């Protein structure tokens, strides 16, 4: 599999949205959630100690992750070993954790033994105050807590 063509809105290796497009899609999703009085979530995945030195392997992981979310959701490459998910119209923490469990299973299928190396931080928007940057910060805080506590999945509270 070859790398995706260069773009200002997509990652050159995986073809996924990059941080710039993620920020735009998150802002749109947040605006829509506010208008509809709906919930959304930001989920950050860190691959941890998983050896992803081969580009082909990272592209395979990206494809497997994309299969874990709906077309209305956004999966983006957030960093060298991090991915971000914007989950629209979620029905609470349980649904987010179910998506996170699917993501961990997909990683296990891509690289046996990787499930324990991956960490996920989740931040929910449930209406009221808040903005896109706060959601990202909260998801990162949950991810850091997952690292400290050695939990696979952690939700911001």
């Amino acid at each position: 599999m070859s790398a995706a063509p260069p773009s200002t809105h997509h990652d050159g290796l995986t073809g996924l949205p990059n941080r710039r497009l993620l920020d735009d899609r998150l802002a749109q999703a947040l605006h829509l959630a506010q208008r509809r009085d709906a919930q959304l979530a930001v989920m950050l995945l860190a691959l941890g100690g998983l050896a992803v030195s081969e580009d082909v392997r990272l592209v395979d992981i990206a494809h497997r992750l994309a299969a874990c979310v709906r077309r209305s959701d956004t999966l983006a490459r957030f960093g060298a070993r991090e991915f971000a998910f914007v989950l629209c119209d979620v029905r609470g923490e349980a649904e987010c954790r179910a998506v996170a469990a699917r993501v961990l299973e997909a990683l296990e299928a891509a690289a046996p033994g990787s499930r324990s190396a991956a960490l996920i931080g989740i931040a929910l928007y449930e209406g009221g105050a808040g903005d896109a940057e706060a959601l990202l910060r909260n998801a990162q805080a949950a991810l850091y807590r997952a690292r400290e506590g050695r939990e696979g999945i952690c939700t911001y509270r």
Side-chain angles (χ1 to χ4, degrees):
M1 182 173 270
S2 62
S7 167
T8 59
H9 292 96
H10 291 86
D11 176 60
L13 177 63
T14 64
L16 293 175
N18 60 17
R19 177 65 192 262
R20 177 182 285 178
L21 186 53
L22 171 71
D23 289 344
D24 182 62
R25 288 196 180 164
L26 177 55
Q28 289 179 27
L30 186 59
H31 178 73
L32 192 58
Q34 289 167 339
R35 286 185 57 212
R36 292 183 178 172
D37 195 27
Q39 294 181 343
L40 72 88
V42 172
M43 194 167 76
L44 295 181
L45 165 70
L47 296 178
L50 178 64
V52 290
S53 57
E54 294 180 39
D55 288 350
V56 172
R57 189 168 182 188
L58 193 58
V59 170
D60 178 51
I61 288 171
H63 284 286
R64 289 174 186 268
L65 296 177
C68 296
V69 294
R70 302 165 296 188
R71 291 177 58 103
S72 60
D73 299 327
T74 296
L75 167 64
R77 186 152 182 215
F78 196 68
R81 293 172 164 244
E82 290 184 338
F83 294 87
F85 301 77
V86 177
L87 307 175
C88 299
D89 295 319
V90 295
R91 292 176 297 278
E93 182 179 349
E95 183 177 349
C96 296
R97 286 183 168 270
V99 172
R102 281 197 307 271
V103 164
L104 293 178
E105 288 171 9
L107 286 174
E108 179 68 26
S114 63
R115 185 178 189 135
S116 61
L119 300 169
I120 296 175
I122 301 169
L124 282 162
Y125 171 81
E126 301 177 87
D131 61 18
E133 283 303 313
L135 276 171
L136 284 169
R137 277 193 312 273
N138 292 347
Q140 286 177 319
L143 183 60
Y144 293 137
R145 255 190 260 143
R147 283 183 178 133
E148 292 170 355
R150 307 261 193 277
E151 298 174 45
I153 303 168
C154 186
T155 303
Y156 180 83
R157 298 198 194 289

